[in-house]
Amino acid sequence: YPKKLKHVTDAKQQPRYCSNRENEKSLEYYLQLAAQLLDEDQSHFDVIETLLSQERELNISEKMWILTNKLLEDVDYDNSRSKINFDMNAEKQHSSHMKILGEVQRQVFDMIDINQLFDNAQKSLIALIELDADHSKELLTNHIQYFDVKNIVDTIQSKINEINNSKSYANSGNLNNIVNDNNGNKSNKNINHNHEESAYRIKATPQQKCNYLRFFLVNKLIGSGDGTEHPKFHNLLAYSYIEFDTEKLLKFMSISNSITVVAMLEFIESRLRYVADCRSQITKAKDTNQRLQLDSRFQSKVLDVLDWDQVLNTYEAYCKQLYECYVVLLNRLGRYDESLEIILTKIKDMDKAVTYVQTYGDESLWHKLVDGTLAKAKELVPQLLDAVISHPTRSGRNDFSIDLIQRIPNDMHLPDLKQKLVDLFRGYSIE
């Protein structure tokens, strides 16, 4: 390996050291070598590890991804190590392989750049992405004139489908993992481990590779801009944003006319069900006083404090963002009543509810707002009174305010109710 590797290292200082054909053969060799080495390195394809290594601040969706996948793993890497026979020689060999892999990562992209091997890069696109996602994105964006974005996306999507449909994906073995399919649903998948190959290292799972490719696709490639230049991929972008960046999804839906609204609603619903299932398991763990076992990186990147309450708060924040997106989609279908109910019972933002009714509703929707508030979110009635007082009046508001007051149950305790009513009546007297 080192002797071959020096050939690559010298290529940067001596571009004419060999012919282009020889460079193509060298590139093919090093990518094959890298594929073998990467297969031994599970953490390379772990989106959790990728996110935790980011220098930037993580968004709520990414924190949610880390917590969900980390906390619900049935067999994680650390626990699985004890089930495998380690030997010192094998570990030394693995350490040596990783050093070689680092050299290959640093030099392969120089070979492509210096020798203009862009056709070869297109043919070996998946191998390059798996080798180094950051350098792959840089290569593609810096030389976009040599690449077709549609072909890139199609290639990645085809690889994801191929992995998911592969027979090896369901092969039996001696280790099991709980993994998530593309819709976020849990499914039991067996990981095949040949004894000779996994004698000292757990190999990356097919699902890890799928997640890695999808994460690269949205965060490094077509999701790096606002997405408007790729209307054919808007559904794909939206699906990925739901998992990795719901804030970006909210902005994206306001400018995109190419997403399939009904399909997106169904995907958000399935994601919310999945999160609800995760949340119930976390609540059960909290109630049974189980310890939260996460390493120190989680406190610096994901949670302020390593405790269950912080995890649940992250779940709540993520769900609230999903419901915000859900409301936007319902509005596109004209289902204003359902949107209002979600704002009241899920997002629980009275100011937003009042503003929403002013924007989309008539007087009947105002009365529905009152009915929904009193029936399903009684703790929000004081905020509704404040909203009625603070917002400009409109035709029929006087009747609505009287109706609101009459509907307040006699046994409902409302702090400062007297002062709120005085302010309400004083405002109407001035008018």
Side-chain angles (χ1 to χ4, degrees):
Y1 291 160
K3 185 177 179 181
K4 281 275 188 181
L5 199 63
K6 190 172 187 303
H7 173 84
V8 184
T9 306
D10 290 345
K12 188 172 183 180
Q13 287 79 27
Q14 303 177 25
R16 296 175 184 172
Y17 178 76
C18 54
S19 68
N20 232 31
R21 180 56 185 159
E22 289 174 316
N23 276 318
E24 290 174 359
K25 288 183 176 180
S26 296
L27 178 62
E28 183 180 350
Y29 166 77
Y30 290 119
L31 288 177
Q32 290 176 356
L33 169 62
Q36 294 175 8
L37 299 177
L38 286 172
D39 207 28
E40 301 171 8
D41 187 14
Q42 184 189 36
S43 63
H44 181 87
F45 296 102
D46 194 338
V47 175
I48 295 175
E49 292 296 322
T50 304
L51 289 171
L52 288 174
S53 67
Q54 302 287 314
E55 295 182 1
R56 61 178 174 82
E57 179 71 21
L58 300 182
N59 62 49
I60 289 293
S61 305
E62 290 170 333
K63 292 177 181 179
M64 179 66 187
W65 174 271
I66 291 174
L67 290 172
T68 301
N69 287 275
K70 185 65 176 177
L71 293 172
L72 297 184
E73 275 185 342
D74 185 53
V75 180
D76 61 27
Y77 175 71
D78 292 329
N79 291 334
S80 300
R81 287 170 65 99
S82 61
K83 299 182 181 181
I84 296 178
N85 296 322
F86 282 81
D87 67 69
M88 191 59 67
N89 291 333
E91 279 298 292
K92 287 181 179 178
Q93 183 183 8
H94 180 267
S95 177
S96 173
H97 285 182
M98 291 305 103
K99 288 181 181 178
I100 296 171
L101 179 62
E103 287 296 319
V104 173
Q105 286 173 317
R106 282 189 289 271
Q107 300 297 338
V108 157
F109 291 93
D110 283 339
M111 285 185 66
I112 296 172
D113 201 5
I114 292 172
N115 298 287
Q116 304 285 290
L117 303 177
F118 301 122
D119 287 342
N120 301 80
Q122 179 71 54
K123 295 174 184 176
S124 306
L125 181 64
I126 299 298
L128 289 173
I129 294 172
E130 291 181 348
L131 177 63
D132 193 321
D134 288 325
H135 277 91
S136 295
K137 187 252 183 182
E138 186 178 335
L139 174 73
L140 294 172
T141 52
N142 289 347
H143 304 284
I144 194 63
Q145 67 272 25
Y146 297 104
F147 300 97
D148 183 338
V149 174
K150 183 181 184 305
N151 287 339
I152 294 172
V153 176
D154 287 344
T155 300
I156 297 172
Q157 195 61 44
S158 295
K159 181 62 176 179
I160 292 173
N161 293 337
E162 175 191 330
I163 294 173
N164 282 331
N165 295 329
S166 173
K167 290 183 180 180
S168 63
Y169 192 82
N171 281 346
S172 60
N174 53 11
L175 290 177
N176 293 323
N177 256 355
I178 299 288
V179 297
N180 306 319
D181 61 25
N182 285 337
N183 292 329
N185 300 315
K186 292 195 302 181
S187 59
N188 285 317
K189 299 294 182 183
N190 293 319
I191 305 168
N192 184 33
H193 290 286
N194 180 273
H195 178 71
E196 287 76 20
E197 293 178 340
S198 62
Y200 61 93
R201 186 65 51 171
I202 299 175
K203 298 170 67 175
T205 69
Q207 188 59 34
Q208 280 178 307
K209 293 185 178 182
C210 286
N211 291 337
Y212 185 82
L213 291 172
R214 284 164 47 230
F215 180 76
F216 166 82
L217 191 64
V218 63
N219 281 12
K220 303 292 184 184
L221 188 58
I222 58 176
S224 57
D226 60 11
T228 53
E229 66 271 32
H230 306 300
K232 292 182 179 179
F233 309 131
H234 279 197
N235 276 347
L236 181 62
L237 266 177
Y239 289 138
S240 297
Y241 284 149
I242 288 171
E243 291 183 313
F244 297 115
D245 199 341
T246 45
E247 290 182 4
K248 205 165 187 177
L249 174 65
L250 199 57
K251 299 174 184 176
F252 179 63
M253 288 191 302
S254 66
I255 60 175
S256 173
N257 294 316
S258 301
I259 59 174
T260 306
V261 176
V262 175
M264 214 58 57
L265 281 171
E266 292 175 353
F267 187 78
I268 291 179
E269 288 171 357
S270 70
R271 191 71 180 162
L272 286 167
R273 286 193 298 270
Y274 171 65
V275 172
D277 182 53
C278 297
R279 193 186 189 287
S280 66
Q281 295 189 48
I282 299 305
T283 303
K284 186 183 298 183
K286 178 187 175 185
D287 293 342
T288 54
N289 295 321
Q290 293 183 29
R291 288 188 60 199
L292 176 59
Q293 297 180 341
L294 297 172
D295 64 50
S296 58
R297 293 176 302 164
F298 282 71
Q299 189 164 343
S300 62
K301 296 295 292 185
V302 183
L303 304 171
D304 297 327
V305 182
L306 291 177
D307 62 28
W308 291 118
D309 287 331
Q310 280 276 317
V311 175
L312 291 172
N313 288 340
T314 304
Y315 277 52
E316 293 296 332
Y318 174 70
C319 286
K320 188 169 285 190
Q321 288 184 350
L322 278 183
Y323 280 120
E324 294 272 5
C325 299
Y326 200 78
V327 166
V328 173
L329 293 172
L330 288 175
N331 289 346
R332 286 197 174 189
L333 298 176
R335 292 156 61 176
Y336 302 121
D337 289 3
E338 295 176 53
S339 295
L340 179 60
E341 184 175 348
I342 289 174
I343 295 171
L344 284 170
T345 60
K346 303 297 184 182
I347 301 174
K348 296 185 178 181
D349 186 335
M350 282 310 306
D351 288 337
K352 184 179 181 67
V354 173
T355 303
Y356 181 85
V357 175
Q358 286 180 322
T359 304
Y360 294 100
D362 52 18
E363 203 64 31
S364 64
L365 204 57
W366 273 102
H367 287 285
K368 185 175 180 63
L369 172 62
V370 175
D371 291 336
T373 304
L374 295 178
K376 299 179 181 178
K378 294 181 179 180
E379 71 278 6
L380 300 177
V381 173
Q383 292 174 254
L384 179 57
L385 284 167
D386 288 336
V388 171
I389 296 169
S390 61
H391 281 73
T393 62
R394 59 191 289 262
S395 174
R397 177 63 64 80
N398 289 8
D399 292 337
F400 165 73
S401 301
I402 294 170
D403 185 44
L404 169 62
I405 295 167
Q406 289 175 334
R407 288 168 183 255
I408 298 175
N410 292 333
D411 59 351
M412 181 184 288
H413 175 70
L414 299 175
D416 303 320
L417 177 60
K418 178 180 177 180
Q419 188 58 47
K420 291 179 188 295
L421 295 179
V422 169
D423 292 341
L424 188 64
F425 294 143
R426 182 183 291 121
Y428 288 141
S429 297
I430 292 173
E431 291 174 17

